[in-house]
Structures are given as C-alpha cells and as structure tokens.
Amino acid sequence: MTPAPAPGVRTVIGVDAGSGPLREADHLIHDLVTRLALPPAVIACTHPVRTGPRPHLAVSLALPDGDTARAVWRRLTAHLAATAPEAGAALGTLRHGPHEPAQAAARVAGEHAERTSGRAVVYPGADRLTGTLTLERLLADTAVDDVTVLGTPGPPASTTRIDTRGHVRPTWRGGHLTLALSPAPGGLLAPFEVPNPTPCCADHG
C-alpha cells in the first residue's frame, strides 16, 4: 500500500520531462508558469534526478493551497498528454505518465514539500531582482529567507550591496530558501551561480 503523503505534498506538483542542463529546466519552468497560468505565489524549483538511463533534472511547483494545486494538476496533465507523453508528473498520490518519470516526479515533489532540496527559479519577488540592491531589500521584497557568503563565517551587513546579474537562484536548505553569494568586483556580492551563458528566458520578464 502506498503511504499517505506528507500534508505539504498535496500542494506541490512534480514534473519529470527529462530536462538536460539547468538552462533547459529553467525554460521548462517559465513555459509551465505561462501555459498553466500559475499564480504569483508559486515557487518553482529544479531538482537533480540520478535514476534512469541518464542523470537529468526534474521540476517542482509549490502552489498556495490544495484547490489551486488540483486545478493546476488538471491543466498540467492535459498539456503533458498532448505535448510530452513521455513525461511524468505527481501530486500527492496522483500519478501521470510512465512509471519511472512519474516516480521521480513524486520524489522531487516530496523534497520540495519538506524544503530539503530544490533550486528556485520562480518565486515571489524574483521579478524584482534586477541590477544592484541591498541585502535588506532582497530579503524584504522576495521569498528568500537567508544568504550565505562563501568563505565568510558570519552573515553580511544588511546594507551590503548585491549585484544580481538578473540571475538569482536560491536553494532550499534546512527549511529556508537560502541564496549563496560570493565576492564580486567593486566590493559587491553576487549570486554564486552565474548565468550560463546569459540569463535564461529574458523574454519571460
């Protein structure tokens, strides 16, 4: 018998479409946000999948409540059935698509629900992260909970300026959405993950 999912899993959808590099997974997320008309509160993440014939990435979509998640699930499964029959998806005990990608989708949904793993691409306030801004502004205006600075034991001052480079990808660590930063020219900090080769899907705004 399949065990009952944790409560948060009922609002997190996993999708495994076999995405390759991060840029491809980021593009998939932006495409789903647009096609499925996802709400502004959505947090969409990428996750590594190491099972199957090759390592790849899956994505997860955390919705604000169960009703919204079920409505999105219906739109998503119709979209995948029409455009990507090889893809798998999961929401709670629901599964869509072939067994292996559907199970991988369930795993990443669980990771996101537990806030133990996931690299956030879309999240509240992400569209405000352009140019240079203070740490205080970043934490106040977005879903990012915390930051770390490579090679520095303590947190930076709230007035520290951050060059976002238009590419800010925090990750879930111990229940907190945490952004890894590194020193940048001019006494600034910048996200450790750099755009490769340029910010994905600039036309998604």
Side-chain angles (χ1 to χ4, degrees), residues 38 45 49 64 73-74 93 100 134 142 159 162 170-171 174 182 185 198:
L38 300 186
C45 295
V49 176
W73 172 258
R74 290 190 290 271
T93 59
E100 191 167 281
T134 64
T142 75
T159 55
I162 298 169
T171 58
S182 60
T198 55

Side-chain angles (χ1 to χ4, degrees), residues 31 41 54 169 185:
D31 185 62
R54 63 177 179 85
R169 302 290 190 263

Side-chain angles (χ1 to χ4, degrees), residues 7 10 55 59 64 106-107 110 122 127 138-139 148 162 169 175 178-179 183 194 204:
R10 294 187 174 89
V59 306
R107 285 194 297 274
V122 172
D127 57 339
L138 183 149
L139 296 176
T148 60
I162 298 169
R169 302 290 190 263
T178 303
L179 178 64
V194 298
H204 288 283

